[in-house]
Amino acid sequence: MARRAVPGPGPRLPAERSSFVGRRTELGRLRGLLGGARLVTLVGPGGVGKTRLALRVADELSRSYPDGVAFADLTAVADPALVAAQVAAALDVRDSTGRWLPASLAEVLGARRVLLVLDNCEHLRDACAVLVDALTGTCPGLTVLATSRVPLDVPGEALCAVPPLAGTDGVALLEQRARAAVPDLVLTPADDAALDELCRRLDGIPLALELAAVRLRALTPAQLLDRLDDRFALLRRTGAAGPERHRTLRSTMAWSADLLGERERLLWRRAAVFAAGFDLTAAEAVCADDALPAGDVLDALTRLVEASLLAVDRTAGGTTFRMLETVRAFGRELLDASAEADAVRLRHRDWVAARVAGAAAEFLGPAQVAAFDRLAAVHPELATALEHCLRTPGEASAGLALAADAWLYWEARGHLGEGRRWLDLLLAAAPADAPGRGRALVVAGYLALAATDPETAVPLLEQGRQAAADDPGVVATATQYLGQAALFRGDLPTADRLLRAAATASDARGDPAAPFCWADVGVVALLAGDLVAADAAFGTSLGAAADPWTRSHALWGCGLVRLAQGAPAEAARLEQEALRLMREVDDRSGVALCVSALGWAAAADGDADRAARLCGAAAAVWRSIPAPLPAPLAEPDRRWTGVARRALGEQRWAARHAEGSALNRPAAVALALGEFPEPGPAPAVAASGPLTPRQREVAGLVAQGLTDRQIAARLVISPRTAESHVEQILTRLGFRSRAEIAAWAVTRG
């Protein structure tokens, strides 16, 4: 029986930037709740430390979730319709098939044991509740740990209230953060009473304590307490409403703002327009003007960092700045109350539009992947800018151009549903004579086609072609995708006519889209059985293509032509070259196509064992998308898998196929590219490995997809002993997940 591929875990948990203080009681309670409930929600006011607590317990319990821990931060998500997309990104699932995204998530997760940390749910509570209820109802191995200011109200939800830090824990946090801000700070027993009172006056709220701690650079604890008392008394006299803890945090925020200079206050409220992290260049473009010159922005950013109002993230790509959600929310209140909110949001929109236009200019060139990466880095800002265009009178046309400029990014990085939604909303909101409306209609049609929805795509493409009749580039693009739609419905003559017309027109204009169009012509000829025409079209595409995505598809097609011509070794070489490019672009359907083709080439070359493993690996990759092998390729799949089956016999075929099927996507690609050796005789390889015989046995069962409890039953040991064996295997091999154990075990027979 074939085993399911293990989905790779999502992004690693964010690293802790400072020490974790206290919370022993809450950690113990959370461990108990997570042992018995599928949904646990940490509830409490803003700034109380829900996220830090969730991350700490998720890290401590990560070994209990062998298929991964994923972190989905909803802070930058304003639209409830995008919650599922954010969770999909955390679980490394692409919105690339046009299916209802929660259904794709459920299919990929299956029975895998995964912990999903869903952070900052309160502003999207209903959408979160619907998604969590759907996933936990269909995925028995999924556990969700949510943070929210209010319960999600999902059946079976267990609540864990997060209180402020009490007593000595609050004082310890204040002292640690103060010493981090002032390394040579000296606190004496004489300061104890003031520190205790500071914690009491700040209600033990960690964020308030951290903001206050940085003031000990210039003030003694007693002086800080006096100034804090004065500020809070003033705010309370103004009649601030709300729960006491909420008033305390707002008072701390307002007090922090009062202690800043005018330029720092300006930057705080202006930078709050960013949905996520931003760098110095972005801050200068969006936040600078005559009142805050660009040359002063760096100094103002530094002072906000020193005041703990900005966090700094340093990566190989550079330095970015980030606001905590509570700090950003207060900054946006300040922005909304100012007279400059519209101007700041317009500058943000223009900055995003420039980033998208710059990337789009490289979509069909050699820097394609870097262009996609740059847009992925500002994706939350793209959504914020489009929301502004949709909600602001007179801005829908600008939003239409912005969404259309991102055309290839929406598909390449798995945001088909989001791209289609923005275009639908903006097409409805923009005037009928909006500039670029025809192009936007064609992009909407292209995305519908990419989502395998030709019934929606064709009318949009035809409308766009008509609306942009005076723009030859848009007309050629619409014609190309109408040809693809004909290919999807099996009308090969119409597809050939439209695609050749589009390719010829694009060639005449020097359009960089022409090579991909010629690759589509090659696909039509290949399916029609005209190998000469297919070879010519794929060759034309390959000779002219500048971007890796187009080159990968042309190489894939050339490989299939060589396979059909009886040259399996050459076919395999071409398919491997295509696969390397597919991996670079992260075209997951393309990866599956290449792994499938390499399996067929192995069968044609007489290597039935490798063919069976690769066919299993291809099936695993298709499941991970999730999507089926395209129907037009069913015939060669049946032909070549049949050759390998007959050569091996059903029992051996099933065993080899299961070995490939146990791999996750990276391991499947590595197998297909020969980046680790094919399995050899099990005893000889096992004898030289770093594991004990029992650990090798457990690794083999992990490769079969068994849980710790199932392994325990198979080996007649306790579940805790089985878990211990798995932990030791992970340690000895230097791995982080069961998927890596499975890949290691498969490659060693």
Side-chain angles (χ1 to χ4, degrees):
M1 178 179 177
R3 300 181 291 278
R4 291 192 55 134
V6 178
R12 293 178 181 177
L13 296 172
E16 292 185 340
R17 293 176 173 81
S18 55
S19 58
F20 187 87
V21 177
R23 301 296 193 192
R24 286 187 294 274
T25 300
E26 289 81 7
L27 284 169
R29 182 157 187 260
L30 273 173
R31 292 187 199 101
L33 290 173
L34 287 167
R38 303 269 313 289
L39 168 62
V40 177
T41 303
L42 294 168
V43 292
V48 81
K50 300 183 294 295
T51 299
R52 283 296 302 270
L53 183 56
L55 291 173
R56 171 52 65 103
V57 77
D59 183 62
E60 289 185 356
L61 297 179
S62 59
R63 289 289 177 85
S64 299
Y65 299 93
D67 297 313
V69 177
F71 178 75
D73 183 2
L74 302 179
T75 305
V77 180
D79 188 341
L82 300 181
V83 169
Q86 191 75 357
V87 171
L91 292 166
D92 198 28
V93 175
R94 293 284 177 85
D95 180 9
S96 58
T97 63
R99 297 179 59 195
W100 186 52
L101 193 50
S104 294
L105 288 170
E107 183 175 334
V108 172
L109 284 169
R112 302 300 99 193
R113 290 174 59 194
V114 173
L115 174 63
L116 170 64
V117 181
L118 199 56
D119 195 33
N120 287 301
C121 299
E122 55 276 346
H123 62 300
L124 302 161
R125 184 178 73 165
D126 290 347
C128 290
V130 170
L131 179 63
V132 168
D133 191 41
L135 292 180
T136 54
T138 54
C139 306
L142 176 66
T143 299
V144 178
L145 176 60
T147 73
S148 177
R149 298 183 189 181
V150 292
L152 299 187
D153 288 337
V154 173
E157 178 183 29
L159 299 179
C160 180
V162 182
L165 285 172
T168 57
D169 285 343
V171 174
L173 178 66
L174 182 59
E175 289 184 354
Q176 286 192 20
R177 299 302 184 261
R179 286 196 169 91
V182 191
D184 57 352
L185 178 69
V186 176
L187 295 173
T188 69
D191 296 314
D192 289 350
L195 292 172
D196 286 340
E197 184 61 13
L198 274 171
C199 291
R200 188 188 70 79
R201 296 288 293 107
L202 292 172
D203 289 329
I205 298 175
L207 179 57
L209 293 172
E210 297 204 14
L211 292 173
V214 298
R215 298 301 163 190
L216 291 173
R217 286 192 182 99
L219 302 171
T220 68
Q223 291 171 328
L224 180 59
L225 183 60
D226 289 342
R227 290 174 179 261
L228 192 66
D229 277 337
D230 291 345
R231 178 59 175 154
F232 279 24
L234 174 63
L235 286 171
R236 289 201 173 90
R237 285 199 300 273
T238 64
E244 179 66 24
R245 287 173 187 156
H246 183 63
R247 289 205 305 271
T248 298
L249 186 57
R250 288 185 56 79
S251 299
T252 307
M253 291 286 183
W255 172 64
S256 295
D258 285 348
L259 294 174
L260 296 171
E262 178 58 28
R263 288 181 176 178
E264 288 75 33
R265 282 195 293 272
L266 272 178
L267 183 57
W268 182 358
R269 76 185 187 215
R270 292 176 180 180
V273 75
F274 290 104
F278 56 93
D279 61 13
L280 174 61
T281 303
E284 290 172 340
V286 174
C287 303
D289 63 3
D290 292 341
L292 178 62
D296 292 347
V297 169
L298 178 58
D299 286 342
L301 283 170
T302 302
R303 292 189 181 97
L304 290 178
V305 171
E306 291 171 347
S308 292
L309 294 167
L310 282 179
V312 179
D313 295 322
R314 293 182 176 87
T315 66
T319 299
T320 57
F321 303 92
R322 176 178 48 81
M323 287 186 185
L324 293 176
E325 185 270 337
T326 309
V327 176
R328 181 186 293 107
F330 189 82
R332 286 185 175 175
E333 289 183 20
L334 297 176
L335 180 63
D336 290 339
S338 73
E340 62 179 13
D342 289 343
V344 172
R345 291 193 170 96
L346 185 60
R347 288 202 297 268
H348 178 267
R349 185 212 71 186
D350 290 344
W351 174 77
V352 173
R355 302 283 78 68
V356 173
E362 298 178 350
F363 279 172
L364 298 178
Q368 180 184 64
V369 174
F372 293 153
D373 289 343
R374 290 202 304 276
L375 284 194
V378 297
H379 185 92
E381 311 308 329
L382 175 57
T384 297
L386 289 170
E387 184 72 29
H388 164 79
C389 293
L390 186 62
R391 304 302 177 200
T392 305
E395 286 287 291
S397 295
L400 208 56
L402 179 56
D405 278 349
W407 66 284
L408 193 59
Y409 168 74
W410 296 122
E411 180 188 6
R413 289 304 165 91
H415 300 294
L416 277 179
E418 183 178 353
R420 294 182 70 187
R421 180 177 178 279
W422 284 123
L423 282 162
D424 288 349
L425 292 172
L426 289 161
L427 283 166
D433 59 350
R437 185 179 185 87
R439 175 170 172 260
L441 284 163
V442 171
V443 172
Y446 157 71
L447 295 179
L449 195 63
T452 62
D453 183 8
E455 292 77 13
T456 300
V458 169
L460 289 168
L461 293 167
E462 290 175 340
Q463 292 170 34
R465 186 166 64 170
Q466 182 176 357
D470 57 349
D471 187 329
V474 174
V475 170
T477 301
T479 303
Q480 175 184 356
Y481 293 120
L482 285 167
Q484 281 193 5
L487 171 60
F488 284 3
R489 63 176 180 266
D491 184 353
L492 297 185
T494 299
D496 184 69
R497 175 176 56 81
L498 291 172
L499 288 168
R500 286 184 180 277
T504 301
S506 296
D507 264 344
R509 296 179 59 254
D511 192 329
F516 207 110
C517 200
W518 281 115
D520 286 339
V521 171
V523 171
V524 173
L526 183 65
L527 294 175
D530 188 344
L531 297 183
V532 173
D535 197 24
F538 286 129
T540 299
S541 174
L542 188 58
D547 66 282
W549 204 351
T550 301
R551 287 188 59 80
S552 67
H553 279 274
L555 286 163
W556 169 77
C558 288
L560 291 184
V561 170
R562 297 296 175 272
L563 180 62
Q565 290 173 336
E570 176 65 7
R573 185 190 67 78
L574 291 166
E575 295 297 343
Q576 287 188 329
E577 189 177 347
L579 180 55
R580 291 186 184 93
L581 291 173
M582 298 284 192
R583 179 169 62 178
E584 177 188 347
V585 179
D586 200 12
D587 177 1
R588 299 180 183 188
S589 294
V591 165
L593 287 171
C594 288
V595 176
S596 297
L598 281 163
W600 305 337
D605 207 27
D607 191 345
D609 285 295
R610 176 169 169 78
R613 289 190 188 96
L614 286 173
C615 288
V621 177
W622 285 116
R623 284 197 301 269
S624 75
I625 294 175
L629 178 76
L633 299 176
E635 191 282 326
D637 186 63
R638 282 193 298 269
R639 176 186 175 188
W640 294 116
T641 56
V643 168
R645 278 177 183 270
R646 288 189 294 274
L648 293 176
E650 283 301 319
Q651 185 174 357
R652 187 168 172 179
W653 162 270
R656 297 295 177 265
H657 191 279
E659 290 170 1
S661 186
L663 301 176
N664 60 12
R665 188 175 60 255
V669 172
L671 175 69
L673 292 176
E675 293 177 346
F676 52 59
E678 294 283 335
V685 176
S688 62
L691 305 183
T692 67
R694 174 62 96 182
Q695 288 167 350
R696 290 198 297 272
E697 189 175 16
V698 170
L701 295 175
V702 169
Q704 294 179 29
L706 273 63
T707 66
D708 290 344
R709 190 169 296 279
Q710 291 168 330
I711 291 171
R714 178 77 63 87
L715 300 180
V716 195
I717 57 177
S718 72
R720 182 66 192 92
T721 300
E723 181 182 350
S724 176
H725 281 312
V726 173
E727 290 175 353
Q728 291 168 14
I729 293 169
L730 290 167
T731 300
R732 288 194 177 203
L733 298 179
F735 292 160
R736 294 178 58 88
S737 72
R738 295 171 82 94
E740 290 177 288
I741 295 176
W744 181 90
V746 168
T747 61
R748 284 154 180 77

